[in-house]
Amino acid sequence: MEAETIENEDELETFRVEYLGRKRGKVGALFDRIPELDPEERPAFGKAVNALKEDAQAKLDAARERLQQEKRAAGPDLDLTLPGRPPMPAGSLHPLRETLGEVSGIFERFGFSVAEGPEIEDDWHNFGALNFPPDHPARDMQDTFFLKKHGYKKHEDAPTGDDSPQQRSSENQDVVLRTHTSPMQIRVMETDEPPFRVVVPGRVYRNEALSYKSYCLFYQVEGLYVDEGVSMGHLKQTLSLFARSFFGEAVETRFRPSYFPFTEPSAEMDIWWDAGAGMGGQWMEILGCGMVHPHVLESADVDPERYTGYAFGMGIDRVTMLRHDVTDIRTLYENDVRFLRQF
Ligand code: PHE
């Protein structure tokens, strides 16, 4: 048998047994004949048989190596062009992503465009331009994740209530994880000319105690509509129509007066959530809103004498929890597949 023509593992083994096998191997048989020889012939004979043995071993190793290379070159033992076997596991949208998409989609049908903005913000866009006074409690360490902190001294030094270049420059500013999507009101107005009609879905961060109803990050959809002659009536009409589109024609809404530094007047919209099957119901706050404060328009170089507008900010997590009967907000962020598979 020739080592060079070995084609598989079986032939490899046959070769090994034929020449190097312990009992019936041909090389071993030659060694066995040493005692039959004349003593002076034995060393030369032994040497020759040893060389034969090494040669056979080298040929065996080479053949084994060649077989392994051929196997590697042939690739994995499966046909990658075959279609998969059904049922294929199909993923699905995360419930938060689904709600965000639905809310944005409704406003798109109303004629709004969709924009997204940075989650890392400077103090000016997250607070200053939105008419937060320098000592407003929302700026406190309690609520805001600061990435870079320059202390309060700068705010005291800075002239308040105007848009001095000092406040606008990004140097020497606190850098924060945005606490709401409202900074995008400023970014949208800064980069374009009125009218503005835009919604902004996105993630926001607050340094809050974690519990079943609050988490350190959550989702909002911001809305902004600025044009000549925009009124509180437009705001109520649009948001009521949104509620009916999202929750169904029968939904009840109400507006309560509220306060935000960046809107005046400000309100919150509640919907009546019926728990069903005689379980009763309750008013649930779903968004904050109001007429864009003239200081905010000025911060973004929009003329408040000519333009008015409304803005709103909607919490996405709570409505998602209501629709899917989720009782602990944290499960929306843990990405446990046993939870996610239910959607
Ligand atoms: N940014 C506010 C919040 O996070 C919501 C809001 C947005 C209120 C726009 C009024 C106008 O609670």
Side-chain angles (χ1 to χ4, degrees):
M1 177 169 201
E2 297 288 332
E4 286 73 18
T5 60
I6 287 175
E7 270 178 6
N8 54 47
E9 299 280 331
D10 283 346
E11 290 178 15
L12 201 64
E13 180 62 7
T14 306
F15 180 90
R16 190 189 66 76
V17 171
E18 182 174 341
Y19 293 99
L20 297 165
R22 246 175 232 280
K23 284 186 184 146
R24 280 185 304 263
K26 287 180 176 167
V27 175
L30 289 173
F31 276 119
D32 288 345
R33 286 176 52 191
I34 291 180
E36 301 165 18
L37 300 173
D38 291 340
E40 56 273 23
E41 285 176 336
R42 287 180 194 170
F45 184 83
K47 211 174 161 190
V49 177
N50 245 332
L52 200 59
K53 182 182 169 190
E54 272 164 26
D55 188 45
Q57 184 67 50
K59 282 187 169 160
L60 181 71
D61 292 344
R64 184 180 287 127
E65 175 67 18
R66 177 170 54 76
L67 282 188
Q68 275 169 3
Q69 265 174 20
E70 281 169 10
K71 199 170 167 187
R72 275 198 295 272
D77 192 15
L78 47 92
D79 182 354
L80 295 175
T81 65
L82 280 175
R85 292 191 190 92
M88 310 277 281
S92 61
L93 283 182
H94 191 280
L96 285 171
R97 199 41 75 186
E98 176 196 67
T99 311
L100 280 170
E102 246 175 84
V103 170
S104 304
I106 289 171
F107 283 102
E108 276 186 288
R109 292 205 291 283
F110 293 172
F112 285 70
S113 53
V114 181
E116 284 186 47
E119 294 177 15
I120 295 174
E121 269 296 5
D122 52 46
D123 182 89
W124 169 248
H125 288 93
N126 198 78
F127 296 122
L130 289 167
N131 199 38
F132 279 81
D135 54 356
H136 193 279
R139 289 179 133 146
D140 198 278
M141 302 293 278
Q142 290 271 323
D143 299 300
T144 309
F145 286 112
F146 289 91
L147 300 180
K148 205 164 109 194
K149 185 109 182 82
H150 289 278
Y152 287 105
K153 197 160 175 299
K154 166 191 145 275
H155 301 309
E156 285 160 17
D157 294 345
T160 53
D162 71 28
D163 54 350
S164 67
Q166 196 179 343
Q167 274 183 314
R168 285 186 177 208
S169 83
S170 54
E171 284 162 48
N172 296 318
Q173 274 202 61
D174 290 348
V175 178
V176 304
L177 290 178
R178 67 178 174 192
T179 57
H180 50 179
T181 41
S182 301
M184 272 301 280
Q185 291 184 30
I186 306 299
R187 291 195 180 275
V188 165
M189 292 194 286
E190 270 172 355
T191 46
D192 227 328
E193 293 298 316
F196 303 107
R197 193 157 49 182
V198 61
V199 284
V200 184
R203 221 178 221 212
V204 303
Y205 300 81
R206 286 193 202 164
N207 193 359
E208 290 185 52
L210 306 185
S211 75
Y212 69 94
K213 59 178 182 179
S214 70
Y215 198 60
C216 50
L217 58 97
F218 51 98
Y219 283 85
Q220 291 187 330
V221 173
E222 191 81 9
L224 177 72
Y225 180 27
V226 175
D227 201 348
E228 291 179 18
V230 176
S231 73
M232 194 78 185
H234 294 124
L235 164 71
K236 292 184 71 172
Q237 149 78 12
T238 305
L239 291 179
S240 307
L241 182 58
F242 163 78
R244 277 182 274 133
S245 309
F246 187 78
F247 295 103
E249 279 304 314
V251 75
E252 280 183 73
T253 53
R254 76 174 183 193
F255 288 82
R256 281 177 297 107
S258 184
Y259 174 79
F260 302 100
F262 38 94
T263 46
E264 180 58 36
S266 304
E268 280 166 325
M269 187 174 90
D270 300 338
I271 57 148
W272 180 257
W273 182 260
D274 192 344
M279 300 251 298
Q282 57 178 335
W283 287 106
M284 301 268 322
E285 179 207 321
I286 65 160
L287 58 84
C289 59
M291 299 304 293
V292 180
H293 197 292
H295 286 171
V296 175
L297 295 173
E298 275 166 8
S299 295
D301 281 334
V302 173
D303 180 4
E305 298 294 332
R306 181 167 169 201
Y307 294 102
T308 52
Y310 66 73
F312 59 86
M314 189 181 313
I316 292 302
D317 297 65
R318 195 187 297 166
V319 272
T320 305
M321 291 168 72
L322 282 179
R323 300 171 97 198
H324 293 292
D325 263 335
V326 174
T327 51
D328 188 330
I329 187 172
R330 292 168 292 197
T331 53
L332 291 172
Y333 294 94
E334 280 163 358
N335 283 335
D336 185 328
V337 287
R338 291 168 301 179
F339 172 77
L340 294 175
R341 274 206 194 104
Q342 300 174 74
F343 302 99

